[in-house]
Amino acid sequence: MEKQNLPVVVVGAGPVGLAAAAHLVERGIEPLVLEAGASAATAVRDWAHVRLFSPWAEVTDPAAEKLLAPTGWLRPDGTTYPTGGDWAERYLQPLADVLGDKVRYGATVTGVARAGRDRIVDSGREEQPFTVHIETADGAEERLTARAVIDASGTWSVPSPMGANGIPALGEKSASDHITYRVPDLTNPAVRARYAGKRTAVVGSGASAFTALALLADLAGEEAETHAVWILRRGIGDATYGGGEADQLPARGALGLRAKAAVEQGHASAVTGLRTEAVERDGDRLVLVAEDGRRLDPVDEVIVLTGFRPDLSFLSELRLALDERLQAPTALAPLIDPNVHSCGTVYPHGVQELSHPEQDVYLVGMKSYGRAPTFLAMTGYEQVRSITAALAGDHEAAERVELTLPETGVCGGAGLFDEPDAAQSDEGGGCCAAPATLQIGIGAPASSGGC
């Protein structure tokens, strides 16, 4: 079979993977979506209890809506805010159902390569199709063939650890029975009992940490002795709580304000400049030990919300150009690097910024951001619109990137480490003046970026 007649394999049936499939169908290209879980949006369902900070109008893809329209599907009120569960059940699963057998469940991708070529071989490389190795739910192995690969598998499966150097703190793994890397669902009685009346450390400084602090503060108002200890690797400055009322996504700004209220009302106490090096047992409780030798008072539980990172293991035989800091495509990385800027405005980007030395393979969605925060879902929708246009040979449409991110209200260099107030200056490359052109929405909430 000629390579052009083969399907485009999309890895992951989440918001961006399903949008990629919808755009491919619109372009007359056959997609095959491979999803490790038993249903669409497996990762989203893991945070079903968390409310998105963008409304319905900003979290559905235009090509997907066209595909859904003949079924009688109507987008919910565009001004309301769905939970992750709403998003999965009322939009993502119906979209997967419309795609039918173009979505395959229980298929975990374990490797991608050029047919008959490991990453060393140059000869005839670009003429060869891709081989995609999968493991099925029953443990069987298969090999599929594809003309192109769009990896929308996200980063949810690889949360970053508590250790400030990016490696699990000493004792972190052995204390796993008291540590979670997700925003807890306090509507679940068993989960609620785990934190009610307890002292809980929350490690992280993004939207997910704000969400956890707000939830624990609400619990503290109902259950005596409930208290959060907010662990910050930097000091507290004007940008600590996000953009607040200046954020162009009001619900995102409100998250930071709720976290600030939790501290001011005494439901949470902030510990600044603490970079965790070790976790020690104190009976049934845990003691966090900092690099500078400080030891915190014991806590009952720890919620680690320090971001996520991409799983690149199954792409090891492909020639990818990834930034050495973020593990994001090298052309995209400077636009999203938190060492350079911290606001949510990103220069328009599409197929050019997402291309690699290996032709016709793309990392999209949250995975395209590598370890960077602040990804928003409609960024991914725009990415796959551009990529599918390029795969269809419509280069004018592929290069016509239509994207504007709402600003967070915080701008400047975020990577100055111990100088939090310096992050407010946008001298030397602040990002808030980035040129732009179309409204976008949201991403997975339990990253340090946003929901």
Side-chain angles (χ1 to χ4, degrees), residues 6-280:
L6 294 170
V8 172
V9 163
V10 179
V11 185
V16 179
L18 292 174
H23 281 275
L24 288 166
V25 169
E26 187 174 53
R27 290 281 182 176
I29 300 172
E30 182 70 14
L32 175 59
V33 182
L34 300 176
E35 167 58 44
S39 63
T42 302
V44 174
R45 294 174 192 274
D46 275 355
W47 47 268
H49 59 290
V50 178
R51 190 166 300 281
L52 281 65
F53 56 56
S54 285
W56 273 109
E58 297 178 353
V59 298
T60 58
D61 175 79
E65 289 195 19
K66 290 179 184 177
L67 204 58
L68 284 163
T71 70
W73 181 88
L74 294 174
R75 187 179 67 198
D77 181 353
T79 64
T80 61
Y81 294 81
T83 63
D86 295 333
W87 202 20
E89 291 297 332
R90 301 178 67 184
Y91 167 62
L92 297 171
Q93 190 62 57
L95 176 56
D97 292 343
V98 168
L99 289 165
D101 60 7
K102 294 178 174 60
V103 180
R104 183 173 173 183
Y105 301 109
T108 300
V109 176
T110 59
V112 182
R114 288 285 185 180
R117 308 288 190 276
D118 63 21
R119 67 183 295 158
I120 299 173
V121 179
D122 290 336
S123 178
R125 187 174 191 86
E126 292 181 4
E127 289 71 40
Q128 294 299 107
F130 292 96
T131 57
V132 181
H133 293 241
I134 66 171
E135 182 176 312
T136 62
D138 59 5
E141 293 180 292
E142 293 184 27
R143 184 172 60 210
L144 310 175
T145 309
R147 61 173 284 195
V149 175
I150 298 175
D151 182 359
S153 60
T155 57
W156 180 253
S157 63
V158 192
S160 294
M162 191 189 321
N165 61 359
I167 298 173
L170 295 178
E172 182 173 347
K173 292 181 179 179
S174 62
S176 61
D177 55 331
H178 288 283
I179 300 174
T180 183
Y181 300 85
R182 311 295 191 218
V183 175
D185 180 5
L186 298 184
T187 64
N188 181 316
V191 176
R192 181 185 176 91
R194 179 174 176 176
Y195 299 98
K198 305 291 181 60
R199 179 178 166 88
T200 300
V202 178
V203 185
S205 59
S208 295
F210 295 162
T211 302
L213 289 167
L215 292 174
L216 290 171
D218 291 343
L219 183 61
E222 301 171 5
E223 299 282 351
E225 305 302 319
T226 303
H227 189 77
V229 182
W230 188 16
I231 309 300
L232 291 160
R233 293 173 180 172
R234 299 175 60 192
I236 291 181
D238 292 340
T240 298
Y241 299 102
E245 294 179 358
D247 195 320
Q248 291 182 4
L249 287 175
R252 180 173 59 187
L255 276 179
L257 296 179
R258 289 184 67 192
K260 184 176 183 180
V263 174
E264 292 177 344
Q265 293 168 7
H267 296 311
S269 53
V271 179
T272 60
L274 191 146
R275 298 180 179 86
T276 308
E277 184 174 72
V279 182
E280 297 180 357

